[in-house]
Amino acid sequence: MMQTRRKKLSEWVQQLYFIGPSLFFFSLIVLIPFVMGMYYAFTNWNGVSNEVTWVGLDNFVTIFTGDENFANSFGFTVRFTITAVVLTNAVGFGLALLLTRSIRTKNALRTIFFLPNVIGGLLLGFIWQFIFIKGFSAVGDATGIGFFNLPWLGDAQTGFWGIVIVSVWQGAGYLMVIYIAGLINIPSELMEAADIDGANFVQKLKNIIIPLIMPAVTVCLFLTISNSFKVFDVVYSLTRGGPYKSTEPVTMDIYFEAFTNNRMGLGAAKALIFFLIVAAITLIQVVITKRKEVQS
C-alpha cells in the first residue's frame, strides 16, 4: 500500500514538473485576467483610479437598453464574420484542390499563398491601406477602370469589402494547408473507383471529398469563425472603424470603451457578453460539424 502511494505521488510530481511552468504562466496571463475581467464587468471603474464601485447588473442594462454603438458594431461583426468565413473557406479549399493536382510549381505556390498569414495584422493592414489608396488609384488612372477608383476606405460599403478582401487574402493560405492535409489523406482507391463508375467532379466532391475531409472543415470553420469575430488589428490599421463607425467591430468598440472613454467596467461587461456569444456559436458549430464527420 505504501509503495503504491509513493508511486502515485511520484507520478503526480513528475506531471507537475512538466506541466507546472506552463500552467503557472497560463494562469498568470489568461485565467487570472479573465476572472478579474468578469469581476470588473459588474463594477464602475475607469481603469486608472483605486476606486472600484460595485454596480451589479447596471452595465449590462446599459448595454442592452441604451448602447447603440454596441448593437451597430455587433451587426457589422456578424455580417463580416459570415462573409469572411464563407469566402476564406471557399478560397482556401479551392487553392487546396488546385495544389493537390500534378502541378510542377505546386510547392512554390503553396509557399506563396501561405506567406500572407505570416505577416502581422497591423503591418498587413498598412500595406493594403497603401494599395487601396495609392496603388488602386494609380491603376485606375492608367486604365480608366472604375473599380480601382472606388473610395475603398472612405465609404461604408467599400470599406466593408476592403476589410473582407484583406482578411480573405491573409487567412486563405492557412486554411489551404489544413485542407491539403485532409485531401492527401483521401484513399486513392475511392477516387479511382468513382472514376470507373463514371462519377463527375461534382459527384466526387459531394459524395467522397467533402465527407472525408469533414475533420478539416471542422477545424477551418472553428478558426475562421473565432478569428473573424475577434478581428481588430486589420480593421484598426485600415479604417479605424470609420467612416462614422460604419466598419467598427465589437472588439474595437470594447477597446474604445475601456481605453479611450475610460469606462473599463462597461468595456469588461461588453467583453463578457461578446465572449459568451462567440463561445456559444463556436461550440454549436463544432458539435454540428463533428456529427457530419465520417467515422473510420
Side-chain angles (χ1 to χ4, degrees), residues 122-225:
L122 280 174
L123 179 59
L124 193 70
F126 288 128
I127 292 172
W128 272 92
Q129 186 183 62
F130 174 81
I131 293 173
F132 282 131
I133 296 175
K134 299 293 185 180
F136 277 21
S137 178
V139 173
D141 293 339
T143 61
I145 300 175
F147 173 82
F148 294 103
N149 288 322
L150 293 173
W152 279 101
L153 303 180
D155 179 75
Q157 192 68 22
T158 53
F160 170 82
W161 285 108
I163 295 169
V164 169
I165 290 171
V166 177
S167 299
V168 172
W169 187 75
Q170 181 185 27
Y174 187 78
L175 301 189
M176 174 197 70
V177 174
I178 300 174
Y179 281 127
I180 287 176
L183 289 171
I184 62 178
N185 286 323
I186 296 177
S188 58
E189 296 83 1
L190 290 178
M191 303 300 290
E192 293 172 358
D195 290 332
I196 293 173
D197 291 338
N200 57 37
F201 176 75
V202 175
Q203 290 172 329
K204 289 188 290 185
L205 185 67
K206 177 182 177 182
N207 299 309
I208 298 176
I209 297 176
I210 292 180
L212 291 179
I213 66 165
M214 279 307 296
V217 174
T218 298
V219 174
C220 290
L221 284 178
F222 175 81
L223 291 175
T224 48
I225 289 174

